[in-house]
Amino acid sequence: MKKSPAYFLSAILFFSFLKIALAQDLAITASASWPSGSYTYDNVTITNNATLTLNGKVTLNCKNLTLDSAAKISSDGKGYPAQNGPGAGRYGSRGGSGAGYGGKGGSRPSIIGGSTYGSSFAPSDLGSGGGDWGAGAGGGTIILNIQDKLILNGIISTNGNNGSYDWSIVFGEYSGAGGSGGSIYVKTNILDGSGYFLANGGDSGQTKGAGGGGGRIAIHYQTSNFSGTALAKGGKGNPSWNGSNGQD
């Protein structure tokens, strides 16, 4: 018997509802790592100095999310690797330019920093990697769909990695540039706590690299008692080839 489109739509809605109804509470008390993907729980708590590392692009759907003062959700350096991504930094002799995303990457003389890209209202892109050997990777993407309340007393971060410095007999010294910060996109009914949202660009290596641009942070809520901080700062370059601030 041939099924009608309405039948298939009803089936999809039923199984979506079933998935939500079967969602369980999750208590994270020791550091853990999740691969890229989408996860659904009821009430999620992160305590006991635990860090939840999110690789690539991760979406968390839940009713309530609570991070205590020593807890962390981190996607630092989990975006595009060095010299990759829409805002990738460029290679330069012994020092590259910084990666861009929410803010432009730092430029060196004759080496333009990575460009900005993506949405400011609903950021969902990965941060890009800085230029040159030893450059920092960009930050990943954290998407939080919270039905009721987000209580953040810890840290949610998707910073770009710092570039590294090295020296060799063949090539001399070189300084990798900073990666750009990634994305934090939050939708919640109530926002509370005194913690930190961070999407900062990475700093350069010691001498000749440039800083990565800041990422993008967008937080949509109905009611807020939040007294914390949101930062998407550009990374530091040497000498003063800094990345631009992103969106916070």
Side-chain angles (χ1 to χ4, degrees):
M1 183 178 73
K2 186 176 181 180
K3 302 293 193 301
S4 69
Y7 173 88
F8 290 107
L9 178 59
S10 297
I12 291 170
L13 291 174
F14 171 77
F15 285 110
S16 296
F17 172 80
L18 184 62
K19 182 178 180 180
I20 294 172
L22 293 175
Q24 297 180 345
D25 291 351
L26 176 65
I28 298 175
T29 59
S31 294
S33 180
W34 291 358
S36 180
S38 181
Y39 301 84
T40 300
Y41 292 97
D42 194 359
N43 300 298
V44 178
T45 58
I46 306 177
T47 61
N48 198 38
N49 300 323
T51 295
L52 175 61
T53 300
L54 305 181
N55 295 278
K57 180 177 180 178
V58 173
T59 299
L60 172 60
N61 309 294
C62 61
K63 183 177 180 181
N64 296 292
L65 173 61
T66 301
L67 283 77
D68 75 8
S69 59
K72 186 174 184 180
I73 294 177
S74 173
S75 194
D76 296 349
K78 301 302 183 181
Y80 288 104
Q83 303 189 79
N84 281 268
R90 293 164 175 78
Y91 176 85
S93 176
R94 300 182 181 178
S97 64
Y101 176 33
K104 190 174 182 294
S107 297
R108 295 185 61 232
S110 303
I111 308 172
I112 298 173
S115 59
T116 62
Y117 57 96
S119 169
S120 59
F121 182 81
S124 61
D125 290 285
L126 302 173
S128 293
D132 216 324
W133 299 338
T141 296
I142 301 172
I143 300 175
L144 304 175
N145 297 315
I146 303 168
Q147 182 181 344
D148 190 10
K149 182 183 286 190
L150 168 59
I151 302 175
L152 174 61
N153 288 311
I155 298 172
I156 296 175
S157 70
T158 178
N159 299 319
N161 279 352
N162 297 336
S164 62
Y165 168 83
D166 207 346
W167 181 90
S168 73
I169 295 175
V170 177
F171 299 105
E173 65 178 1
Y174 64 87
S175 300
S180 60
S183 295
I184 299 175
Y185 179 29
V186 177
K187 292 183 288 183
T188 186
N189 182 31
I190 300 171
L191 177 64
D192 206 343
S194 57
Y196 294 86
F197 296 98
L198 304 175
N200 299 321
D203 297 339
S204 75
Q206 289 182 352
T207 56
K208 296 181 178 179
R216 295 187 184 275
I217 302 173
I219 305 168
H220 303 289
Y221 56 84
Q222 297 299 316
T223 302
S224 176
N225 300 306
F226 186 66
S227 60
T229 302
L231 292 174
K233 296 172 60 177
K236 295 179 181 180
N238 294 300
S240 70
W241 296 322
N242 299 334
S244 298
N245 292 339
Q247 167 209 338
D248 54 14

